[in-house]
Amino acid sequence: MKKILIKLSMMFLLFTLFNAQAALRVEITKGADGAVPVAVVPFELIGQAAGLTNVSDIVAADLKRSGKFSPIEKSKLIAYPKDLEEVNYKLWRVAGIDHLVIGKLNVIKPGQYEISFRLVDVFKGVQVLGYQFAANDHSLRSISHHISDLIYEKITGQKGAFDTKIAYVTAERKQGMQPSYKLQVADTDGFNSQTVLNSTQPIMSPSWSPDGNKLAYVSFEKRKSEIYVQNLFSQKREKVSTFKGINGAPVWSPDGKKLALTLSKGGNPDIYILTLETKKLKQITKHWGIDTEPAWTPDGSEVVFTSSRSGKPQIYRVPAKGGLAKRITFDGKYNASPEVSSDGRTLIYVQGEGNIFKISSMDLQSGFVQVLTDGPLDESPSFAPNGSMILYASTDKFKGVLAAVSTDGRFKQKLVLSEGDVREPTWGPFRK
Amino acid sequence: MKFTKLVSALMLSGLLAACSPDNVKDNQAGMDDNQQDSSQTADGAQTSGIDGGGTEGGTALNGATVSYDKAAINDAGNVLAEKVVYFEYDSDQISQDYQELIAHHGKYLAANSDMSVRLEGHADERGSREYNVALANRRALSVRRLILFQGVNADQVSVISYGEEKPVALGHDDESWRLNRRVELVYEAR
């Protein structure tokens, strides 16, 4: 036991954060009841390496952020098994732990690692999952999130979305200086943020391509709104829409071949569909009111959008081929910015009442509406690819922050940027 | 060491490296923002101005002098010194006072065909961002309509909507919101 303790203290010393700065700080603002109690035992370090990413800490933090698990604090762990043979099932059962995660990080040579982990069902007394991965300094955080995904899926039956990316826009305004707008991409825990576009003019409405390789967005860099498609790996970008008037709200179709967007070249903002390869443009709504903020249904057959055709903004649906628009929202005077879940069942949107704007969800079959957030200025809701969480923009005193809420509204967290405003988050797809 | 599955180490690390975020490099930074796009033209319907808008001085507004001389646009005592039109929440209606102000600007532009104006529409932060782009665009188009009514050439007037992206007041209160719901008239020599 003493030996283990010495080893452990060494591990804590060595397992400090590696180089990856978190631009966004995660704060859990509302815990959920009934979260599954798990214990993530610090992984054993075999060999020597300074300043390594702490894999087990990342896994524990991921599981906690999902709202579906309550990992016990490291200081409250009752034992530190690293192999299956060392697990005392009785001890963990008494402690009320359902699942145990143990593992090892083997330093093969500097910058080259082998990670292994096991997920143990304490009540059945068996290992239910076990994997081994090769990693380098760059992939270590990503593999840690991948481990969280595997554990999450094994226990909940739902695919994990920790090892995915989010995109968002930041704005910094300082006295006497040009404002700075940035389009950024980061891990789902706010680490590894990368600026993909930097401008003194506004950037808006980022949308992920379904393969996760590209972002479409609106940029005002030429003192007018234009839509670009940028490849995140080759860094190349293409201007795809620069019509007279508004070029806004681009959203990728589920098959990745088209963009739904808003153009006002016909005199009023209407929804159009642009086929990216042929550049063919098709208008699918035509109304004197404002039509904007399109979003696709997962099968690509319909587009939901915001329209002021009834006098105030409400959400409608229209066939992607064009046709009759049907109104979906009827509660309240302000319903906008819709998105449809990947199973096609749930609509999320911004619901406004007076000066208070909240994120709401609607069951599209029953029409049942649930208000998920408290406001006062919540906007831009975006589903996690597994549908478990909704990422949205909120305000924290005088700052724009990102926040997430579980789809059932029971669990909330905030992602606070260290400097400036952060807005328009959009959750990327599963890694292919 | 028994593992239920052994994932091919090489394959996986290769795959993850391909997706690794260090491929997402700083790109397109330092964009030239001062470059004014000269191809920018007026938005909306191609209405042409009604002929007969004269250069005669209108009624004085709040004691300000009324002159449509070319240099009048830079005179702090002139009625044209006021270059911002404010709006009610979720509205593109122009109040009586501002109709008069916009008429003065229209007459100035009609008298000075070598001047052009860019109408920059803005919204307060409430509500969704793209809807606010559309709303602020409507505000700018409302101003444009009244300017063209004075016999101004359509190509003297351009429109851009920034929605809620460029607030002048950063508070989350009624006064800040009032100041942000606006159309700014930005003059340029053609």
Side-chain angles (χ1 to χ4, degrees):
Chain A
M1 188 64 193
K2 207 174 180 184
K3 236 179 164 178
I4 294 172
L5 279 175
I6 291 165
K7 250 187 179 169
L8 270 174
S9 58
M10 271 179 65
M11 252 161 45
F12 288 138
L13 269 173
L14 293 171
F15 271 37
T16 48
L17 287 177
F18 179 81
N19 209 6
Q21 287 185 328
L24 295 161
R25 188 180 73 249
V26 179
E27 289 170 8
I28 288 170
T29 50
K30 187 184 168 194
D33 301 330
V36 177
V38 294
V40 183
V41 179
F43 286 9
E44 183 190 15
L45 180 68
I46 303 164
Q48 296 225 334
L52 258 186
T53 296
N54 191 328
V55 176
S56 43
D57 274 4
I58 295 172
V59 171
D62 280 346
L63 295 176
K64 190 173 181 185
R65 275 190 302 123
S66 75
K68 295 195 172 160
F69 296 90
S70 57
I72 57 170
E73 283 175 45
K74 239 170 8 185
S75 61
K76 289 181 181 155
L77 286 170
I78 45 174
Y80 299 89
K82 54 195 185 296
D83 284 310
L84 214 50
E85 303 83 62
E86 291 175 4
V87 176
N88 181 339
Y89 294 102
K90 212 177 199 171
L91 198 67
W92 294 102
R93 272 182 215 134
V94 171
I97 298 297
D98 293 357
H99 288 86
L100 193 63
V101 180
I102 59 173
K104 296 177 184 185
L105 194 154
N106 191 354
V107 182
I108 293 164
K109 61 181 189 188
Q112 197 182 326
Y113 317 102
E114 194 179 77
I115 307 170
S116 58
F117 83 95
R118 297 154 189 266
L119 174 66
V120 179
D121 184 321
V122 171
F123 284 86
K124 288 181 189 150
V126 291
Q127 172 185 317
V128 289
L129 203 64
Y131 280 97
Q132 181 175 319
F133 304 100
N136 57 37
D137 286 327
H138 281 304
S139 64
L140 215 45
R141 289 199 74 91
S142 177
I143 287 174
S144 306
H145 293 308
H146 184 60
I147 290 172
S148 308
D149 285 339
L150 293 168
I151 294 167
Y152 181 93
E153 182 168 4
K154 188 71 197 176
I155 298 174
T156 67
Q158 182 183 45
K159 203 171 170 187
F162 303 109
D163 190 22
T164 55
K165 295 278 184 187
I166 59 171
Y168 50 88
V169 176
T170 64
E172 255 188 280
R173 293 183 204 87
K174 280 185 185 148
Q175 204 77 48
M177 281 178 53
Q178 287 262 51
S180 164
Y181 298 88
K182 289 187 180 116
L183 175 59
Q184 300 199 292
V185 171
D187 293 351
T188 54
D189 58 358
F191 278 79
N192 287 325
S193 65
Q194 310 272 328
T195 300
V196 298
L197 181 73
N198 200 339
S199 177
T200 58
Q201 297 299 319
I203 301 166
M204 287 182 73
S205 305
S207 169
W208 288 93
S209 63
D211 63 6
N213 292 337
K214 293 173 185 170
L215 281 176
Y217 56 83
V218 177
S219 174
F220 286 78
E221 67 202 53
K222 296 271 166 54
R223 300 263 172 154
K224 56 183 181 178
S225 59
E226 296 176 310
I227 297 171
Y228 290 84
V229 166
Q230 184 167 328
N231 188 305
L232 297 174
F233 301 104
S234 74
Q235 308 173 28
K236 288 207 176 84
R237 67 173 190 164
E238 187 191 356
K239 195 187 288 184
V240 297
S241 179
T242 178
F243 293 98
K244 204 159 74 174
I246 296 170
N247 296 269
V251 194
W252 237 289
S253 63
D255 65 6
K257 292 176 179 165
K258 289 163 269 178
L259 288 179
L261 40 85
T262 302
L263 300 174
S264 70
K265 69 187 184 81
N268 271 297
D270 282 309
I271 311 295
Y272 291 75
I273 289 172
L274 174 70
T275 303
L276 286 163
E277 207 184 292
T278 61
K279 298 286 177 291
K280 213 184 99 199
L281 195 64
K282 183 176 168 58
Q283 182 171 3
I284 61 165
T285 73
K286 193 173 172 61
H287 196 276
W288 55 264
I290 293 168
D291 289 346
T292 188
E293 299 171 342
W296 297 82
T297 55
D299 63 0
S301 68
E302 284 187 302
V303 170
V304 297
F305 63 101
T306 307
S307 178
S308 70
R309 59 186 63 195
S310 71
K312 294 284 169 197
Q314 294 290 348
I315 296 163
Y316 294 74
R317 67 199 303 167
V318 67
K321 292 174 181 159
L324 200 66
K326 283 183 197 152
R327 186 167 164 180
I328 303 175
T329 54
F330 293 92
D331 287 353
K333 285 182 184 155
Y334 197 112
N335 294 300
S337 195
E339 190 173 301
V340 183
S341 62
S342 56
D343 61 8
R345 287 186 194 160
T346 312
L347 182 81
I348 52 172
Y349 55 99
V350 175
Q351 186 168 55
E353 204 68 67
N355 293 337
I356 309 295
F357 294 81
K358 301 173 177 180
I359 308 301
S360 290
S361 73
M362 179 192 279
D363 182 310
L364 283 170
Q365 216 154 45
S366 68
F368 177 75
V369 172
Q370 189 184 1
V371 180
L372 300 175
T373 68
D374 304 322
L377 292 167
D378 297 342
E379 59 183 19
S380 308
S382 166
F383 270 112
N386 64 0
S388 65
M389 300 286 285
I390 295 156
L391 190 62
Y392 63 99
S394 186
T395 44
D396 182 22
K397 291 181 191 110
F398 290 99
K399 256 167 89 161
V401 299
L402 303 189
V405 59
S406 57
T407 312
D408 60 11
R410 289 168 60 206
F411 182 75
K412 289 194 182 91
Q413 56 180 285
K414 253 179 202 170
L415 294 106
V416 183
L417 190 72
S418 44
E419 265 182 65
D421 274 337
V422 54
R423 74 281 289 269
E424 296 203 86
T426 174
W427 207 315
F430 287 123
R431 287 197 177 204
K432 295 276 156 71
Chain B
M1 283 239 177
K2 261 184 245 158
F3 294 100
T4 52
K5 266 187 195 171
L6 268 169
V7 174
S8 163
L10 270 173
M11 261 181 67
L12 193 80
S13 63
L15 189 77
L16 288 166
C19 300
S20 101
D22 61 321
N23 290 331
V24 186
K25 287 265 165 55
D26 221 287
N27 190 22
Q28 321 294 352
M31 220 153 273
D32 185 7
D33 136 69
N34 296 322
Q35 206 177 5
Q36 191 63 47
D37 197 313
S38 57
S39 71
Q40 183 184 337
T41 53
D43 191 347
Q46 293 299 309
T47 44
S48 48
I50 295 162
D51 286 334
T55 57
E56 71 277 8
T59 48
L61 191 76
N62 298 336
T65 53
V66 177
S67 159
Y68 305 129
D69 292 344
K70 192 171 178 190
I73 202 71
N74 297 317
D75 176 3
N78 194 286
V79 66
L80 301 171
E82 206 179 333
K83 295 185 180 71
V84 185
V85 177
Y86 294 97
F87 292 81
E88 294 298 308
Y89 175 57
D90 200 13
S91 166
D92 58 6
Q93 299 297 307
I94 294 167
S95 70
Q96 199 63 47
D97 286 356
Y98 287 116
Q99 287 183 23
E100 208 171 314
L101 174 69
I102 294 164
H104 285 299
H105 282 280
K107 283 170 183 164
Y108 172 82
L109 284 160
N112 298 278
S113 59
D114 55 341
M115 290 297 285
S116 66
V117 70
R118 185 171 72 243
L119 305 174
E120 300 186 347
H122 299 272
D124 71 34
E125 64 178 343
R126 290 173 291 172
S128 60
R129 288 179 181 268
E130 286 284 0
Y131 183 81
N132 282 338
V133 168
L135 175 63
N137 196 63
R138 294 205 148 199
R139 286 174 177 157
L141 289 176
S142 295
V143 174
R144 179 180 181 268
R145 213 167 291 128
L146 292 186
I147 287 177
L148 293 183
F149 194 68
Q150 299 300 326
V152 178
N153 286 323
D155 61 4
Q156 278 177 272
V157 187
S158 64
V159 162
I160 181 170
S161 172
Y162 286 111
E164 62 178 279
E165 308 302 315
K166 288 192 158 189
V168 286
L170 299 180
H172 305 292
D173 48 55
D174 285 330
E175 180 58 11
S176 296
W177 292 333
R178 186 186 68 77
L179 292 169
N180 289 334
R181 291 189 302 268
R182 69 201 193 276
V183 170
E184 294 184 13
L185 288 81
V186 182
Y187 278 92
E188 287 156 351
R190 293 219 285 167

